[in-house]
Amino acid sequence: MSARPLVLVVSPGDETYRGYCLEQVAAEYDVVLLTGTELSWEKPFIVDHTVVNLSDPAALLAGGRALAERHDLAGVVTWDEWHLVPTARLARALGLSSTSVEVMRACRNKATARTLFARHGVPSAASMRARSLLEAGLATMTLGPPAVIKPAAFAGSIGVIRVDHPEELPAAFAFASAGASRSREDTGVLVEEYLDGPEVSVECVTHRSETTAVAVTRKHLGPAPYFDETGHTVDAADPLLAQVAPAAAAAVKALGITDGVQHVELRLVDGRPRLIEVNARIGGDMIGHLVRLATGIDLPRAAADLACGRAPDLTPTRSGAAGIRMLYPDASGTLTARHINQPFAAHTPWLRQVQWIREIGDQLVLPPEDLFTARAGFYIVTGRTTAEITERLDTAADEITVTTRADR
């Protein structure tokens, strides 16, 4: 029998973007898994698992109970946005440490979060619900233009669009409504004040209601009017961290989060932080991996520690920088070529990873038709400073080719 604590991970995600999370947790914990598919890449990292329909709350709860009957669980954790609420419900049902279900619901619902931000004096964006195109038009006249239309309860920039002129509103409302219809929690649409300024996220860890901001991530966005995140950089010495940390911590407190890892998104408007949202989990797009490369701080392990009632170790062991850039075609179409200059890759130690996520023959579709199928892959670089990261990302871009053929 292992002497290590045992943690239940709900919905490990895909290997490409979330594999590092499971690997890092498994380095310190024995892991049992609650998953929606048969095992593949997860096998080396776990000691047991149950396959259930994760979209069925009752099935998820029953699967978690079955694992708890077979194992002495110390905690339950997920880094999957769509399963934050069911995971909190499961933890409470098993008598394990967790932020409350109500708080997780508030994090998932942008309208509720805006209300709590306003109540607690956290600078945010003005926001109004829109149940019809007419209401969206009235809200846009009140708050903008420009204004942002978005689903009330979704993530990943899906269905989020900016409106600059009245004639753009019908298509924009339809775009946001289509995204909102995919939510299992709230299919409503919000119209919000457009926050004009650079976008960042603050990677936070909260233990017993005390929040520590461990890193700030600078965002790179695709072309307007969409909000597709095309890259991220993390610098352990970024002076912006001290400026945005108090606002991030205030937002976490306003939502009532007591323990866990948070990915807090905000914009700097005239140099001052304004909150977009709090995601009560590790950031996507490999951000947790970038944090570790730049600072040495292990966010997946911290999430498991907190789920098991332990104090996480947030001591930085590195002081560098890291960045990721997504690979897109110039135009939608069939992927016909994807490659990197092999001599360059073989002799460039700061090029840490090149990851293809689409195969030759796949359809790559740029917004507005789709937000994610256009990504052919990504690459990650390391360096000493943000400036060096930017230079290296640009250098590597010249050595990578993504080619599509227009579909007739």
Side-chain angles (χ1 to χ4, degrees):
M1 294 290 291
S2 172
R4 304 196 309 172
L6 197 145
V7 65
L8 168 57
V9 173
V10 177
S11 184
D14 70 302
E15 182 180 14
T16 300
Y17 285 109
R18 290 302 199 187
Y20 78 93
C21 293
L22 188 61
E23 181 178 358
Q24 289 172 212
V25 170
E28 300 296 331
Y29 288 86
D30 286 345
V31 176
V32 296
L33 206 60
L34 197 57
T35 178
T37 58
E38 290 298 332
L39 297 186
S40 55
W41 64 272
E42 306 97 334
K43 290 180 180 179
F45 306 114
I46 70 166
V47 298
D48 196 3
H49 77 288
T50 293
V51 179
V52 299
N53 179 1
L54 293 175
S55 64
D56 180 344
L60 189 151
L61 189 60
R65 288 186 186 276
L67 285 168
E69 289 175 0
R70 300 201 295 266
H71 302 280
D72 183 16
L73 299 179
V76 181
V77 68
T78 188
W79 37 80
D80 187 330
E81 176 74 22
W82 320 118
H83 295 102
L84 290 170
V85 173
T87 299
R89 187 180 296 117
L90 173 61
R92 286 303 167 95
L94 299 178
L96 297 170
S97 174
S98 175
T99 294
S100 75
V101 173
E102 293 73 24
V103 168
M104 284 302 183
R105 285 199 185 110
C107 294
R108 289 283 300 122
N109 192 295
K110 296 173 176 62
T112 304
R114 289 273 183 254
T115 299
L116 290 170
F117 292 158
R119 184 179 302 165
H120 292 272
V122 179
S124 179
S127 178
M128 300 174 68
R129 274 192 176 272
R131 290 165 292 187
S132 65
L133 178 60
L134 176 60
E135 287 188 357
L138 294 173
T140 301
M141 286 191 292
T142 301
L143 301 177
V148 176
I149 304 183
K150 62 171 63 173
F154 223 64
S157 300
I158 293 172
V160 184
I161 187 169
R162 194 178 86 190
V163 174
D164 294 313
H165 304 287
E167 60 268 24
E168 299 168 354
L169 185 60
F173 185 73
F175 179 77
S177 297
S181 68
R182 297 165 60 182
S183 173
R184 296 194 296 265
E185 297 164 355
D186 185 338
T187 57
V189 170
L190 302 180
V191 178
E192 297 193 339
E193 169 192 11
Y194 174 65
L195 302 178
D196 191 4
E199 184 169 336
V200 304
S201 64
V202 189
E203 317 316 324
C204 297
V205 178
T206 302
H207 179 229
R208 296 181 179 175
S209 300
E210 292 294 326
T211 297
T212 301
V214 300
V216 60
T217 304
R218 295 188 183 243
K219 308 286 189 179
H220 304 275
L221 303 181
Y226 310 103
F227 292 82
D228 184 21
E229 296 179 356
T230 60
H232 313 274
T233 58
V234 176
D235 187 335
D238 195 326
L240 187 59
L241 180 60
Q243 180 182 345
V244 297
V252 171
K253 184 177 181 180
L255 287 167
I257 297 172
T258 54
D259 292 276
V261 175
Q262 301 85 40
H263 171 69
V264 182
E265 298 180 351
L266 54 85
R267 283 199 170 206
L268 298 171
V269 180
D270 297 326
R272 298 179 179 179
R274 299 273 298 277
L275 262 293
I276 299 174
E277 63 190 44
V278 174
N279 301 279
R281 40 86 181 163
I282 300 166
D285 283 353
M286 305 292 286
I287 286 173
H289 184 52
L290 299 183
V291 169
R292 192 182 193 195
L293 289 173
T295 71
I297 295 172
D298 188 333
L299 292 179
R301 179 181 173 182
D305 288 339
L306 291 161
C308 295
R310 294 177 159 190
D313 183 0
L314 303 180
T315 306
T317 59
R318 301 174 190 165
S319 184
I324 185 172
R325 185 173 291 177
M326 307 303 164
L327 292 166
Y328 294 89
D330 293 330
S332 296
T334 301
L335 181 62
T336 57
R338 40 152 241 197
H339 59 82
I340 182 169
N341 180 336
Q342 289 300 324
F344 170 79
H347 296 91
T348 308
W350 48 258
L351 181 62
R352 301 296 291 262
Q353 182 178 356
V354 178
Q355 179 71 52
W356 299 110
I357 59 177
R358 306 290 284 171
E359 302 295 334
I360 300 298
D362 285 351
Q363 300 297 307
L364 305 188
V365 184
L366 294 164
E369 285 76 18
D370 207 309
L371 197 62
F372 288 115
T373 62
R375 289 186 180 181
F378 61 81
Y379 60 100
I380 293 173
V381 306
T382 53
R384 293 166 295 182
T385 64
T386 298
E388 188 169 67
I389 291 299
T390 301
E391 179 183 348
R392 288 178 171 180
L393 287 169
D394 290 342
T395 298
D398 293 336
E399 307 293 335
I400 300 174
T401 300
V402 176
T403 305
T404 55
R405 180 187 67 247
D407 297 320
R408 296 181 179 180

XYZ file of all heavy atoms in Angstrom, residues 17 54 91 110 194 271 319 331 363 370 398-399:
95
model
N -3.570 19.717 -23.783
C -3.641 20.935 -22.983
C -3.630 20.697 -21.471
O -3.290 21.606 -20.705
C -4.905 21.723 -23.330
C -4.844 22.442 -24.653
C -5.597 22.010 -25.740
C -4.040 23.561 -24.823
C -5.556 22.670 -26.957
C -3.986 24.230 -26.034
C -4.748 23.785 -27.100
O -4.692 24.445 -28.304
N -20.221 12.232 -17.608
C -19.912 13.398 -16.782
C -20.937 14.519 -16.922
O -20.998 15.405 -16.065
C -18.517 13.926 -17.122
C -17.341 13.009 -16.757
C -16.029 13.614 -17.255
C -17.271 12.774 -15.258
N -17.589 16.720 -3.628
C -16.715 16.855 -2.457
C -17.530 16.997 -1.180
O -17.233 16.354 -0.159
C -15.782 18.044 -2.634
N -21.546 34.820 -15.141
C -20.956 36.158 -15.222
C -21.894 37.237 -14.685
O -21.436 38.241 -14.127
C -20.558 36.453 -16.664
C -19.454 35.521 -17.188
C -19.212 35.732 -18.668
C -18.045 34.883 -19.160
N -18.274 33.423 -19.014
N -17.598 47.810 -22.953
C -16.311 47.386 -23.493
C -15.188 48.029 -22.694
O -15.133 49.258 -22.537
C -16.185 47.761 -24.969
C -14.821 47.480 -25.542
C -14.351 46.167 -25.637
C -14.004 48.515 -25.980
C -13.098 45.908 -26.160
C -12.751 48.251 -26.517
C -12.299 46.946 -26.597
O -11.056 46.681 -27.113
N -4.699 52.331 -17.273
C -3.704 51.859 -16.318
C -4.269 51.238 -15.056
O -3.513 50.773 -14.205
N 13.357 32.194 -11.749
C 13.014 33.572 -12.093
C 13.344 33.792 -13.558
O 14.426 34.236 -13.919
C 13.768 34.580 -11.223
O 13.349 35.902 -11.522
N -5.872 31.576 -43.863
C -7.252 31.536 -44.331
C -7.859 30.180 -44.002
O -7.149 29.179 -43.870
C -7.315 31.788 -45.842
N -10.141 20.232 -41.581
C -10.662 21.550 -41.921
C -10.297 22.535 -40.814
O -10.611 22.306 -39.649
C -12.182 21.502 -42.089
C -12.653 20.566 -43.185
C -12.159 20.987 -44.553
O -12.358 22.134 -44.967
N -11.498 20.084 -45.257
N -15.994 29.461 -36.588
C -15.551 28.646 -35.464
C -14.416 29.377 -34.777
O -13.702 30.160 -35.386
C -15.092 27.263 -35.925
C -15.259 26.212 -34.844
O -14.786 26.465 -33.729
O -15.855 25.151 -35.119
N 8.951 32.244 -37.803
C 9.505 32.241 -39.154
C 9.971 30.855 -39.587
O 10.252 30.639 -40.782
C 10.674 33.225 -39.243
C 10.227 34.671 -39.098
O 9.049 34.952 -39.379
O 11.057 35.509 -38.689
N 10.087 29.935 -38.642
C 10.567 28.582 -38.952
C 9.432 27.552 -39.005
O 9.689 26.361 -39.172
C 11.600 28.140 -37.901
C 12.747 29.106 -37.689
C 13.655 29.221 -38.908
O 13.697 28.264 -39.707
O 14.320 30.270 -39.053
